[in-house]
Amino acid sequence: MIKDRKQPKTQSRTLRTRAKLIATAEALVKADGFAALRVEQVVQGTGVAKGTFFAHFPDKDALMERLIAARLDAALDRLDPAQRPESPEALVEALALFIKGATGERYVLDLVMRRAMVPPRADPGPIARALARLDGVLVQWFGGFFGAPPFRTDLPPEMLAEGVRALLMQAMVLKFCSRHGNTSAKARLKGYVDAFLMPPNA
């Protein structure tokens, strides 16, 4: 019985410590960015031992993934699957906050790309789950487009969604490419969407 009474207190303390670590990291990221953050800063700011940090997160990337995924989820919360964009421009504009959340820093996009690749049968992390949410919204949007101009009508919604997601990732990656960095991810995605979604001679 005594053990049972203490267990909820231990769990509560663990959750509070994790929340403090995340809040401290959020404040540090807000001040200096994701790439500049160091585990030592989080530990000192939270007032815990370094071992406590690693009991909650295996490394800095695991903690950063939580923060980045929260930004992506906040952008996705603003997308209404029932309110489909009616043009390539509107589609790109709807994804603008997601693009901003994923490309604010090179480190952020690098982590998004790495955590998007989930091995078969592995549990997806927060970023992979956010990307799955994006896929779901796109499928719902294109479910309404299937057979409905002005967008192409020869592909199923799932394939259209997969294509747009791939083009989105490519546009975001090229933002940090020295050869292509002079074009914004939004502008590049607009060109891709026009080429992929609009029927020939539209």
Side-chain angles (χ1 to χ4, degrees):
M1 292 296 292
I2 295 175
K3 188 175 181 181
D4 289 340
R5 280 196 216 106
K6 287 184 177 178
Q7 191 173 4
K9 289 183 181 178
T10 302
Q11 290 173 347
S12 177
R13 184 167 56 250
T14 298
L15 291 174
R16 283 198 307 273
T17 300
R18 178 181 287 258
K20 285 181 183 178
L21 289 166
I22 292 171
T24 300
E26 279 277 17
L28 291 166
V29 164
K30 187 174 181 181
D32 300 313
F34 284 91
L37 184 137
R38 298 290 176 266
V39 170
E40 290 76 12
Q41 294 174 294
V42 179
V43 167
Q44 290 173 3
T46 309
V48 298
K50 200 167 186 180
T52 301
F53 177 93
F54 291 113
H56 289 273
F57 302 101
D59 52 30
K60 170 189 166 178
D61 283 353
L63 173 58
M64 294 297 93
E65 182 176 12
R66 290 285 300 269
L67 305 187
I68 293 165
R71 284 159 170 73
L72 300 181
D73 278 324
L76 291 169
D77 287 343
R78 299 184 64 167
L79 299 182
D80 184 353
Q83 294 293 318
R84 63 187 191 189
E86 298 291 346
S87 68
E89 294 84 1
L91 176 62
V92 172
E93 197 55 46
L95 297 174
L97 279 179
F98 187 91
I99 293 170
K100 183 178 179 182
T103 61
E105 294 179 35
R106 188 183 191 111
Y107 168 84
V108 172
L109 182 61
D110 176 63
L111 191 59
V112 167
M113 297 300 291
R114 284 188 284 123
R115 297 302 169 99
M117 305 299 178
V118 182
R121 294 179 294 280
D123 291 330
I127 286 175
R129 285 194 292 271
L131 290 170
R133 279 188 66 195
L134 173 62
D135 292 342
V137 171
L138 290 172
V139 168
Q140 286 187 263
W141 282 349
F142 293 127
F145 288 142
F146 195 41
F151 292 87
R152 66 188 302 171
T153 60
D154 60 328
L155 295 174
E158 292 78 13
M159 189 171 290
L160 292 173
E162 185 178 338
V164 169
R165 205 246 256 202
L167 294 173
L168 169 65
M169 301 300 265
Q170 175 73 358
M172 293 193 301
V173 165
L174 288 182
K175 174 184 174 179
F176 295 99
C177 175
S178 60
R179 260 183 85 190
H180 304 282
N182 57 334
T183 302
S184 72
K186 278 179 61 178
R188 191 172 297 280
L189 181 60
K190 167 63 169 55
Y192 289 160
V193 167
D194 279 337
F196 175 60
L197 288 181
M198 300 304 288
N201 305 317

